[in-house]
Amino acid sequence: MIPHSRPTITREDSEAVARIVATGFIAQGDVVANFERAVASFVGVRGGVAVNTGTSALHLSLLALKVQKGDEIILPSYLCVAPLNAINYVGAVPVLADVDPATGNISPESVRRLLSSRTRAIIVPHMMGQPAAMEALLKLGVPLLEDCAQAIGAQYQGKMVGSMGRLSMCSFYATKVLACGEGGMVLSDDPQLLEMVRDLRDYDEKCEYRVRYNYKMTDMQAALGLSQLQRLPAFIAARQRIAAAYDAGFRDLPLVLPVSQTEKTHIYFRYVLRLGEDVQRFISAMQKEGVICRRAIYKPLHALLAASVCEQAEKLYGESVSIPIYPSLSDRELELVVHGVRKVLQK
Ligand SMILES: *Cc1c(COP(=O)(O)O)cnc(C)c1O
């Protein structure tokens, strides 16, 4: 069976982690600080604060923006629940925007219609590895929290994602582009916001009491992250090479392939096919061919919240399917995926 996703772990990765374990300093320490500097420098921002998960990074970002109970946070419906959870942790009101059907990214026009005097921030995920429409979103004049969980290393008009919003966050979960097992980071150019996040992630030895969290990353995870970061450009090139092979292999089939837009680089965290029909039959048929495919998102947020339907998100959800793409996918596996998709869709 070819899995839907798989981390790309090398001997150097294992050795980097083992070296830290052997020192006995296995909690948050210097390696985490080095990882923060390395990721911030890669993205091109002033600093980063590493945390235990991407969800925690979203939570602390909202706290740093001083989001309060009753404030409205806009986010797209075509998304996993992690950002929705972070909004609920701080008692804010999630307001669901629709998406651009060509990319699955949040639609600036939809956001504009939802702005109110209580809008405090917009969560902007760069879905599937492709940058959102940042120029139009920045013009809205509301603080942007970029969600780079799927897109670290992607660029928009020559700028790295994560370097354009007031704050941004990454996830280093096992199957993301860069893996630490679990992990996340808040990035920003604003030293005050960074300081606030730094203060909130650790509860111990503080002069004044306030509610803080224990969201620290360990040096073991950071060692894996640093080791992986050295290969991030190669990971991205490998994903793009596989995407190009898929583009060529599926060109003549009756489906819509991922679009690539000139002012953006797509790092293909996911390679999403859009079929003109519900994807369940395709997923089952591909499994018989030995290839695990999945819906591109689990369920749109409007469905989970029983909120009014975001039409484009609903349509995309039903018709979109994600096929295996990761640097450790071998040429043989790639061939099998192409063969399987062609066989299933030509029936
Ligand atoms: C994975 C993911 C997150 C959450 O990250 P965790 O590290 O799993 O908490 C948030 N947003 C998006 C778009 C993601 O893909």
Side-chain angles (χ1 to χ4, degrees):
M1 275 290 175
I2 301 175
H4 178 248
S5 44
R6 182 164 66 201
T8 305
I9 305 291
T10 60
R11 182 132 139 236
E12 293 89 77
D13 289 336
S14 311
E15 287 170 359
V17 178
R19 269 197 299 278
I20 299 305
V21 175
T23 66
F25 292 93
I26 55 178
Q28 178 184 282
D30 292 345
V31 187
V32 168
N34 291 342
F35 185 48
E36 291 173 340
R37 279 191 289 272
V39 174
S41 142
F42 178 84
V43 171
V45 291
R46 189 163 186 150
V49 181
V51 290
N52 59 341
T53 65
T55 303
S56 300
L58 286 159
H59 183 193
L60 297 188
S61 296
L62 294 176
L63 290 173
L65 289 170
K66 302 226 160 62
V67 173
Q68 315 218 319
K69 204 168 172 190
D71 286 344
E72 293 177 0
I73 306 292
I74 299 176
L75 76 170
S77 182
Y78 194 68
L79 184 62
C80 66
V81 295
L84 177 65
N85 283 333
I87 292 170
N88 283 319
Y89 295 167
V90 299
V93 179
V95 176
L96 300 181
D98 209 344
V99 295
D100 171 1
T103 62
N105 275 323
I106 189 167
S107 151
E109 292 70 37
S110 170
V111 172
R112 191 176 299 118
R113 287 192 291 272
L114 298 168
L115 292 173
S116 84
S117 58
R118 286 162 50 179
T119 309
R120 287 299 313 272
I122 306 167
I123 295 179
V124 180
H126 303 292
M127 293 301 286
M128 315 298 159
Q130 188 173 42
M134 291 303 289
E135 192 173 357
L137 292 163
L138 284 162
K139 281 192 190 135
L140 298 171
V142 177
L144 303 185
L145 167 49
E146 287 182 73
D147 179 337
C148 307
Q150 304 191 349
I152 186 170
Q155 294 181 29
Y156 178 84
Q157 294 175 353
K159 293 195 198 91
M160 284 283 184
V161 300
S163 68
M164 295 167 274
R166 279 271 278 150
L167 283 161
S168 62
M169 55 71 61
C170 308
S171 165
F172 308 119
Y173 177 66
T175 58
K176 300 291 163 105
V177 177
L178 194 156
C180 296
E182 295 277 4
M185 198 176 291
V186 178
L187 296 157
S188 182
D189 273 325
D190 184 328
Q192 269 175 303
L193 292 176
L194 289 169
E195 206 33 57
M196 198 135 29
V197 172
R198 203 173 288 284
D199 177 58
L200 289 170
R201 89 172 149 182
D202 187 357
Y203 61 83
D204 207 13
E205 299 190 350
K206 307 279 183 173
C207 300
E208 294 155 58
Y209 177 76
R210 57 170 155 142
V211 175
R212 292 183 175 89
Y213 302 84
N214 184 357
Y215 281 173
K216 298 189 297 295
M217 179 184 268
T218 68
D219 273 11
M220 298 180 288
Q221 293 164 309
L224 181 53
L226 269 173
S227 180
Q228 292 246 307
L229 185 61
Q230 291 179 11
R231 300 199 308 284
L232 183 55
F235 284 171
I236 292 172
R239 287 175 176 278
Q240 290 170 334
R241 185 180 54 78
I242 296 166
Y246 283 160
D247 285 346
F250 306 145
R251 201 170 15 218
D252 57 325
L253 296 178
L255 44 71
V256 179
L257 299 177
V259 295
S260 62
Q261 298 172 324
T262 49
E263 80 281 14
K264 302 172 181 175
T265 56
H266 196 328
I267 65 157
Y268 296 97
F269 170 63
R270 297 288 186 230
Y271 190 94
V272 178
L273 303 174
R274 196 164 171 195
L275 315 180
E277 55 177 298
D278 189 81
V279 298
Q280 199 51 57
R281 180 195 74 87
F282 178 87
I283 291 173
S284 308
M286 284 299 286
Q287 183 152 4
K288 292 198 190 92
E289 298 300 317
V291 182
I292 306 295
C293 301
R294 297 176 66 163
R295 288 185 188 270
I297 59 160
Y298 176 66
K299 254 182 194 178
L301 300 182
H302 64 252
L304 294 169
L305 294 175
S308 60
V309 174
C310 295
E311 277 173 37
Q312 300 302 334
E314 177 73 20
K315 198 152 183 291
L316 262 187
Y317 163 70
E319 298 182 352
S320 299
V321 65
S322 168
I323 67 174
I325 187 165
Y326 34 85
S328 62
L329 190 78
S330 68
D331 289 347
R332 175 82 190 121
E333 288 172 321
L334 189 151
E335 254 175 60
L336 290 172
V337 176
V338 172
H339 175 81
V341 170
R342 295 192 63 82
K343 185 169 161 198
V344 166
L345 287 181
Q346 279 170 341
K347 259 180 207 156

